């Protein structure tokens, strides 16, 4: 039994934590939060590029470090802890993983090296309106090499250089790649619950695009892609949830009411114990997702769904109860608790809300059982 | 990251499995209703325990000198995993071998170890844990059962309650008050008691579930020689903590139906398509899987010869509550029909109905939900203890009820 990260991976985690604690304090996150015209922390983004993290799971032949998915999971958890205001997930979990999964040799060779070096920023454009986009009835269409229609919201859509778009093609759906800097795209910034990450509406009007994978294979490819994305996002969520538990625990020890620390009251103690239970459930499911992801295991569908669900639940609970534990202070702009509350929601609904993943999980279990 | 055994672990697993295949049938080979109970079960359980002990598979981590295997904690885990795949008559020895006898080994004399360990290991003698009392359960340091020194003996009077297996036990460890003038944790002492002593009377309690597994136990002028004291006079709390620590290691998973069983049932009943049910099922899967994988994390530490972290403390809170919810859901799914309990006619041999009546006990036995949350809050997260009004006051001045 070796259900743990290796010594090297733990070393990477410690180094990443040191680096991010120094380079991404909450003042850096707040700089993005407070200024309307700042979309992300450009300095942190370039430092992350220099560290090689963007290419951690990209093969060396394509300019990456050629480490593995486990290393990427380690980095994801640390980025989640500090709410890093950079387009890492859009670029690495979404664009790079799509290229690895569905890109032609030419597409990989053209983009992965630039992605690893930080020249390319990615985005994944799925949503068109309330509810989950249904590959069978999309309004955005890809015909004759051109894309038409509107995606909203697209995380990092206003700063991305390349977007992966789910679009109708013929009677099916396809994944297509758009160079957003080549013109023919209108990007309208949109306000969201989490202003520490930028979002936009993307309006395509006969915009040139190229297909990723076969025509009509979009739904299947997207399913595989989202399983991978789910595990990586789950690690970010786990990092955020762990940080909330630490914040709430520290505050509960320091804050006195009725002559003693509020953490001496069972209403707070039991709440934080429940947070701990949920976080451990999330951590164990995340580890399993990481294992399935890194070993291309046939258990990937249920492992990814369980990691995502456990982490979404843990982060939601930890974020809301962290505010609650802070009392009136928790409801102020100055205390960081609301930053986690905001990020928890973004991470829970992008790439499929919990309801969607519950259904995916049960289907995966049904399929397994039928086999 | 992998789930593989090391070569040594794999070799042990093969050996264990071969041994089990030789002696037992795989789980599920026999329908539930043909399973035996009562005295016949006890006979089989004792016979199986003896075979295990003679072949070095009982108490794998105990040293060879006292009849164990001298093996690793990981080997014990592997053995438990393998044995649970078979229809093994286990149960009556868990409290004795898991909690009582380890306490005897830790605090007893050489004579005690010689006298008690072997017969417990071979299943000839059964032990029970006599801690809880009517006014001392969660607050077990509040026991009132008195032990008074008389020459070379102690004379015991008082009442214990909820003592699992007392009615068929040969020995017990009993937590007694030896000095009521001291604060509650200081005036306690632990003894070995012979359950066949005429002054000991075990009266089975009729449980809410209908069974009679636990007991009230009355002590009337029971004489225990001072040589059967475990630990110093007044150090009973320290001894009890060792027992309770072993209990926390022993409890965790709950027997009974889990997500797979209710999913299976829903499929057969044609209700698996219900969206509300599917969402609950997903939650149960995630939590159960979370606990199962958390055990794998602890086992990883064991396998490396390290001490596992506190993560395993989440176990009983998850499993006992989930068991209750799953049974409740299955019964409601069956509607009015689900009220019936006949094992011969009900779906799944009435497993959901039986476990429904057991689940409340699991949330209480071995530490209630509330006490376990306190333990996580205080020992894992380092939050302050509850306000205590009982720690420095002489025991006989405390309020009870
Ligand atoms: C939107 C808003 C408007 C407000 N308006 C007003 C106003 O107009 N006038 C005014 O005077 N005040 C106002 N308040 C203040 C409000 O009454 C306090 O914030 C509230 O009473 C909590 O006190 P606290 O913030 O000091 O938190 P704390 O008392 O420090 O509590 C922190 C946490 O500990 C818990 N806790 C504390 N003591 C115990 C205990 N004994 N047992 C269990 N848990 C405990 C709390 O439930 C909370 O979760 C307002 C607050 C908000 C958020
Ligand atoms: C099936 C079964 C088998 C058992 N077997 C044995 C055995 O073999 N030997 C033995 O010695 N005992 C045994 N017990 C007893 C068991 O350890 C106690 O029942 C348990 O510790 C609870 O104690 P109590 O019943 O006195 O409840 P109480 O301690 O009176 O608790 C009542 C309620 O108050 C809550 N409560 C108590 N204190 C606090 C607190 N400080 N903070 C918050 N909530 C609190 C509890 O959580 C519970 O909900 C068994 C019990 C069961 C159900």
């Amino acid at each position: 039994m070796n259900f743990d990260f290796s010594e090297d991976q733990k070393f990477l985690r410690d180094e990443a934590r040191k680096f991010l604690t120094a380079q991404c304090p909450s003042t850096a996150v707040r700089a993005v939060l407070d200024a309307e015209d700042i979309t992300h922390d450009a300095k942190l983004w370039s430092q992350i590029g220099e560290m090689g993290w963007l290419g951690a799971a990209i093969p060396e032949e394509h300019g990456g470090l050629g480490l593995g998915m486990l290393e990427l999971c380690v980095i994801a958890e640390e980025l989640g802890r500090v709410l890093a205001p950079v387009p890492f997930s859009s670029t690495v979990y979404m664009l790079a993983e799509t290229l690895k999964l569905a890109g032609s040799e030419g597409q990989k060779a053209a983009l992965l090296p630039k992605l690893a070096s930080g020249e390319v920023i990615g985005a994944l454009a799925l949503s068109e309106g309330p509810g989950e986009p249904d590959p069978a009835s999309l309004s955005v269409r890809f015909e004759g090499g051109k894309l038409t229609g509107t995606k909203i919201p697209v995380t990092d859509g206003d700063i991305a250089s390349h977007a992966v778009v789910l679009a109708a093609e013929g009677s099916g759906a396809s994944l297509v790649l758009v160079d957003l800097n080549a013109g023919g795209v209108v990007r309208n910034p949109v306000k969201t619950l989490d202003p520490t990450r930028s979002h936009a509406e993307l309006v395509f009007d006969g915009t040139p695009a190229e297909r990723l994978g076969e025509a009509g294979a979009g739904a299947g490819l997207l399913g595989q892609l989202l399983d991978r994305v789910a595990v990586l996002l789950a690690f970010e969520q786990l990092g955020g949830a762990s940080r909330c538990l630490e914040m709430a625990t520290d505050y509960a020890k320091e804050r006195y009411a009725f002559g003693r620390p509020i953490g001496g009251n069972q209403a707070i103690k039991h709440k934080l114990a429940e947070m701990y239970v949920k976080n451990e459930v999330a951590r164990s499911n995340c580890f399993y997702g990481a294992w399935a992801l890194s070993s291309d295991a046939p258990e990937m569908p249920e492992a990814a769904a369980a990691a995502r669900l456990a982490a979404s639940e843990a982060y939601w609970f930890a974020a809301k109860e962290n505010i609650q534990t802070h009392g009136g202070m928790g409801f102020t702009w100055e205390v960081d608790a609301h930053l986690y509350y905001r990020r928890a929601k973004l991470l829970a609904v992008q790439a499929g809300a919990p309801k969607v993943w519950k259904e995916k999980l049960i289907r995966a279990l049904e399929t397994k059982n039928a086999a | 990251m992998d789930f593989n055994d090391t070569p040594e672990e794999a070799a042990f697993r093969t050996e264990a499995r071969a041994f089990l295949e030789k002696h037992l049938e795989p789980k599920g080979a026999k329908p539930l209703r043909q399973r035996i109970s009562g005295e016949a079960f006890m006979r089989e359980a004792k016979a199986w325990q003896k075979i295990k002990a003679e072949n070095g598979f009982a108490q794998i981590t105990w040293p060879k000198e006292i009849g164990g295997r001298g093996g690793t904690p990981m080997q014990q885990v592997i053995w438990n995993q393998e044995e649970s795949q078979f229809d093994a008559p286990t149960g009556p020895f868990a409290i004795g071998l898991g909690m009582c006898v380890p306490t005897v080994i830790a605090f007893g004399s050489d004579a005690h170890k010689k006298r008690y360990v072997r017969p417990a290991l071979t299943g000839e003698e059964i032990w029970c844990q006599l801690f809880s009392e009517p006014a001392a359960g969660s607050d077990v340091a509040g026991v009132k059962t008195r032990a008074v020194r008389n020459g070379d003996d102690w004379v015991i009077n008082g009442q214990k309650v909820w003592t699992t297996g007392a009615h068929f036990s040969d020995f017990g460890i009993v937590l007694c008050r030896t000095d009521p003038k001291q604060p509650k944790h200081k005036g306690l002492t632990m003894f070995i008691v012979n359950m066949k002593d005429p002054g000991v009377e075990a009266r089975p309690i009729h449980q809410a579930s209908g069974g009679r597994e636990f007991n009230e136990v009355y002590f009337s002028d029971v004489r225990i020689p001072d040589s059967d004291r475990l630990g110093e006079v007044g150090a009973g709390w320290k001894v009890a903590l060792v027992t309770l620590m072993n209990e926390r290691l022993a409890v965790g998973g709950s027997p009974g139906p889990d997500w797979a069983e209710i999913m299976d049932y829903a499929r057969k009943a044609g209700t698996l398509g219900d969206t509300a049910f599917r969402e609950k099922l997903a939650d149960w899967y995630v939590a159960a899987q979370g606990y199962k994988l958390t055990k794998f994390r602890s086992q990883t530490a064991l396998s490396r010869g390290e001490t596992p972290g506190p993560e395993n403390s989440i176990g009983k809170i998850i499993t006992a509550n989930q068991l209750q919810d799953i049974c409740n859901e299955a019964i409601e799914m069956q509607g009015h029909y689900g009220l019936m309990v006949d094992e011969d006619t009900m779906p799944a041999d009435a497993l959901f109905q039986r476990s429904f009546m057991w689940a409340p006990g699991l949330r209480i036995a071995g530490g209630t939900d509330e006490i376990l949350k306190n333990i996580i809050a205080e020992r894992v997260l380092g939050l302050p203890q509850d306000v205590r009004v009982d720690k420095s006051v002489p025991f006989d001045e405390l309020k009870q009820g």
Side-chain angles (χ1 to χ4, degrees), chain A residues 4-16 74 287, chain B residues 304 306:
Chain A
D4 194 6
F5 288 97
S6 68
E7 289 309 314
D8 283 351
Q9 287 153 357
K10 288 181 187 170
F11 178 75
L12 172 65
R13 179 193 63 201
D14 294 346
E15 291 302 303
V74 167
F287 277 30
Chain B
R304 293 173 178 170
E306 297 163 4

Side-chain angles (χ1 to χ4, degrees), chain A residues 251 255-258 262 265 267-268 271 324-329 331:
Chain A
Y251 192 76
R255 170 69 174 172
Y256 276 68
F258 305 99
I262 56 165
N265 299 298
I268 297 291
K271 186 199 291 302
Q324 182 66 14
T325 304
H326 281 74
M329 285 301 291
F331 191 58

Side-chain angles (χ1 to χ4, degrees), chain B residues 104 108-117 192 227-229:
Chain B
V104 173
S109 63
D110 286 343
H112 286 142
K113 286 179 223 171
K114 243 201 187 112
R115 163 65 190 84
Y116 295 120
V117 174
I192 296 172
S227 57
D228 277 350
R229 173 168 43 80

